[in-house]
Amino acid sequence: KNEVEQSPQNLTAQEGEFITINCSYSVGISALHWLQQHPGGGIVSLFMLSSGKKKHGRLIATINIQEKHSSLHITASHPRDSAVYICAVKRNTGNQFYFGTGTSLTVIP
Amino acid sequence: DVKVTQSSRYLVKRTGEKVFLECVQDMDHENMFWYRQDPGLGLRLIYFSYDVKMKEKGDIPEGYSVSREKKERFSLILESASTNQTSMYLCASSLPAYNSPLHFGNGTRLTVT
């Protein structure tokens, strides 16, 4: 069983829609990482959070430590948001990260 | 700006060849990681290093070795490449702090024929 589960696996949205991607984990963590990967591209860091909520432009990430759950929201989605979004957790022991399998988002104009 | 550079974007090798994948970071990060990414499996850790000459096995180290002679450089070695090692290989680095994010290279797509 994977320590990190993401849902949905695939998501198609119309431009302008509000999007939510979910991440659940089963281990104790020190921080959670949201990453973005464009087709053929490298992976970039969107957020790193340990509690509460962070916002950057149209992106919002929240985490509930007690429920072991995080969400990534995209407001007013745009075709350039089309990418794979990956959730990763850093365990509270050691230096390793554990990754979800990613959510593939397609935003249609 | 933070930069992690992988030496090759695409690589084609023959079965049995020794393959070197190089990764260099310019951020003075202690931690460096090698992952492979396969469809439906996500990123899986091959090896990581938390200091020069230090290394630890990840989840799938079989068939791989690593070298970290200098802080900025972390090399992944496929001793005898096999077709099941065809994959996307990603290098990453981070500081040791709990809230330090990962910084990734652009990846090397390796095909073993």
Side-chain angles (χ1 to χ4, degrees):
Chain A
K1 185 184 180 299
N2 200 1
E3 291 90 347
V4 182
E5 301 280 353
Q6 283 184 241
S7 64
Q9 277 192 308
N10 297 285
L11 183 56
T12 301
Q14 289 291 132
E15 184 173 356
E17 280 187 21
F18 181 84
I19 288 162
T20 296
I21 299 170
N22 295 300
C23 176
S24 297
Y25 53 92
S26 57
V27 295
I29 70 167
S30 58
L32 184 141
H33 212 6
W34 279 104
L35 303 154
Q36 181 192 55
Q37 185 176 31
H38 283 283
I43 297 175
V44 297
S45 172
L46 296 175
F47 296 103
M48 190 105 181
L49 63 167
S50 305
S51 63
K53 179 178 173 177
K54 284 191 177 180
K55 185 175 190 290
H56 182 67
R58 295 180 294 105
L59 301 177
I60 303 165
T62 64
I63 188 168
N64 184 318
I65 297 292
Q66 286 73 32
E67 293 187 5
K68 294 187 175 177
H69 181 268
S70 175
S71 293
L72 176 68
H73 306 286
I74 305 174
T75 61
S77 59
H78 190 276
R80 64 174 174 266
D81 297 326
S82 297
V84 174
Y85 292 84
I86 301 169
C87 171
V89 300
K90 191 170 189 182
R91 292 192 71 161
N92 50 17
T93 54
N95 287 304
Q96 292 194 45
F97 287 81
Y98 293 86
F99 296 82
T101 54
T103 295
S104 180
L105 170 66
T106 302
V107 181
I108 300 169
Chain B
D1 203 14
V2 162
K3 194 150 187 177
V4 179
T5 303
Q6 293 184 231
S7 53
S8 304
R9 190 79 177 94
Y10 298 94
L11 212 49
V12 180
K13 295 291 181 181
R14 296 237 170 130
T15 302
E17 277 193 80
K18 191 168 186 175
V19 182
F20 293 87
L21 302 183
E22 305 286 346
C23 176
V24 177
Q25 51 97 1
D26 65 359
M27 299 158 285
D28 205 35
H29 284 173
E30 284 81 359
N31 296 342
M32 295 188 76
F33 306 83
W34 274 107
Y35 297 97
R36 64 178 280 178
Q37 185 180 33
D38 300 288
L41 297 177
L43 281 91
R44 293 180 291 166
L45 181 65
I46 305 171
Y47 268 97
F48 72 98
S49 169
Y50 51 89
D51 203 350
V52 175
K53 296 192 187 294
M54 306 302 287
K55 60 186 179 186
E56 285 200 24
K57 292 180 180 179
D59 300 315
I60 50 164
E62 297 78 20
Y64 304 95
S65 62
V66 289
S67 171
R68 193 162 181 205
E69 296 296 319
K70 293 185 178 181
K71 191 175 185 180
E72 67 270 20
R73 187 180 296 270
F74 192 35
S75 303
L76 180 69
I77 303 148
L78 286 67
E79 296 291 342
S80 177
S82 64
T83 54
N84 63 12
Q85 291 179 310
T86 291
S87 187
M88 171 69 89
Y89 290 87
L90 288 148
C91 175
S93 71
S94 75
L95 290 167
Y98 77 95
N99 59 351
S100 175
L102 282 169
H103 298 274
F104 283 88
N106 283 332
T108 296
R109 185 163 293 282
L110 172 67
T111 303
V112 182
T113 61

